[in-house]
């Protein structure tokens, strides 16, 4: 009995100590796992925030470049339709000087969209760039200038730039904003 009591006095504390050490190891493993999960959560949050900021900048820069291009081309046609040769020449010079930079900026933003938007939206932007910006805005403007177009041809181009092209811009920018969840739900 004394032997049993002595063994019990030694074994019970030993077993309890082993249980405590096991619990402590398990708690450390749980704490390490929670810390790792928190680090991954924080990293994902930072990454998502960076993507969101890039999407906002994409939308803002693309919109700005498109509207600047529209206004530059509109000024040229405006002074042709409302005859003012001096201002027409100034507007044409400004278009010539600034449009290439804006085309470049627009194309760069579209390249960013390849990483920040869906493939379908990226392809829509590429089509818009080639068909609307290059062909309808720039090439048509150059055609009118080089072929000494009639006032009626200039008026048609001017009306499209004033009324049609803004709709084209909105038809490409608004879906992009919605896809990026940067548009109002209303």
């Amino acid at each position: 009995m004394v032997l049993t009591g002595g063994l019990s006095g030694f074994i019970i504390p030993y077993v309890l100590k082993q249980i405590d050490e096991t619990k402590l190891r398990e708690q450390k493993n749980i704490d390490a796992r929670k810390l790792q999960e928190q680090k991954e959560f924080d990293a994902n949050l930072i990454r998502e925030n960076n993507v969101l900021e890039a999407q906002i900048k994409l939308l803002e820069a693309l919109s700005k470049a498109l509207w600047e291009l529209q206004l530059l081309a509109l000024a040229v046609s405006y002074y042709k339709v409302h005859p003012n040769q001096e201002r027409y020449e100034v507007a044409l010079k400004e278009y010539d000087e600034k449009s290439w930079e804006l085309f470049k900026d627009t194309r760069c933003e579209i390249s960013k969209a390849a990483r920040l938007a869906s493939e379908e939206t990226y392809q829509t932007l590429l089509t818009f760039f080639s068909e609307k910006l290059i062909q309808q805005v720039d090439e048509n403007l150059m055609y009118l200038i080089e072929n000494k177009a009639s006032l009626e041809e200039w008026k048609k181009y001017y009306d499209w730039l004033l009324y049609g092209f803004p709709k084209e811009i909105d038809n490409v920018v608004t879906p992009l904003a919605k896809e990026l969840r940067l548009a109002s739900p209303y």
Side-chain angles (χ1 to χ4, degrees):
M1 187 138 189
V2 172
L3 183 60
T4 307
L7 283 174
S8 295
F10 176 72
I11 292 178
I12 292 175
Y14 176 77
V15 169
L16 291 175
K17 183 179 178 196
Q18 292 301 317
I19 291 172
D20 287 344
E21 286 176 3
T22 301
K23 285 183 181 178
L24 184 61
R25 273 194 307 274
E26 287 175 1
Q27 188 60 46
K28 284 182 181 179
N29 288 340
I30 290 171
D31 290 346
R33 206 173 25 239
K34 283 183 180 179
L35 181 62
Q36 182 61 33
E37 288 172 359
Q38 185 63 45
K39 285 180 182 179
E40 289 173 8
F41 177 80
D42 291 345
N44 285 334
L45 200 57
I46 290 169
R47 195 173 9 267
E48 287 176 16
N49 189 47
N50 289 341
V51 169
L52 180 60
E53 285 180 29
Q55 290 173 331
I56 291 168
K57 287 178 183 176
L58 163 70
L59 195 58
E60 289 173 347
L62 183 62
S63 295
K64 184 176 187 283
L66 292 175
W67 288 112
E68 283 185 47
L69 278 164
Q70 187 257 1
L71 289 175
L72 285 172
L74 188 63
V76 174
S77 61
Y78 177 86
Y79 292 119
K80 200 66 171 172
V81 169
H82 301 92
N84 185 325
Q85 188 62 28
E86 184 179 318
R87 286 192 171 179
Y88 165 78
E89 289 174 15
V90 170
L92 182 57
K93 184 176 189 260
E94 186 176 15
Y95 178 85
D96 188 49
E97 290 171 354
K98 293 182 178 179
S99 64
W100 285 99
E101 189 70 22
L102 291 169
F103 284 127
K104 176 199 61 99
D105 292 347
T106 301
R107 189 58 185 87
C108 286
E109 295 305 320
I110 291 171
S111 289
K112 289 178 192 174
R115 297 178 303 279
L116 297 169
S118 68
E119 177 65 22
E120 180 182 347
T121 297
Y122 171 66
Q123 292 302 324
T124 299
L125 290 168
L126 283 175
T127 300
F128 176 84
F129 182 81
S130 64
E131 292 178 5
K132 302 299 179 192
L133 288 182
I134 300 301
Q135 293 173 7
Q136 286 189 295
V137 173
D138 190 61
E139 289 178 2
N140 282 346
L141 180 60
M142 293 303 111
Y143 174 84
L144 293 171
I145 294 166
E146 292 167 0
N147 292 292
K148 300 187 184 348
S150 69
L151 185 58
E152 188 56 39
E153 289 174 297
W154 276 102
K155 175 89 171 97
K156 184 178 177 184
Y157 179 73
Y158 170 77
D159 286 344
W160 178 78
L161 280 174
L162 185 60
Y163 303 111
F165 190 51
K167 290 176 186 173
E168 299 285 352
I169 293 172
D170 287 341
N171 287 341
V172 77
V173 172
T174 301
L176 174 63
K178 285 180 180 178
E179 179 179 318
L180 301 177
R181 291 179 278 149
L182 297 173
S184 171
Y186 306 106

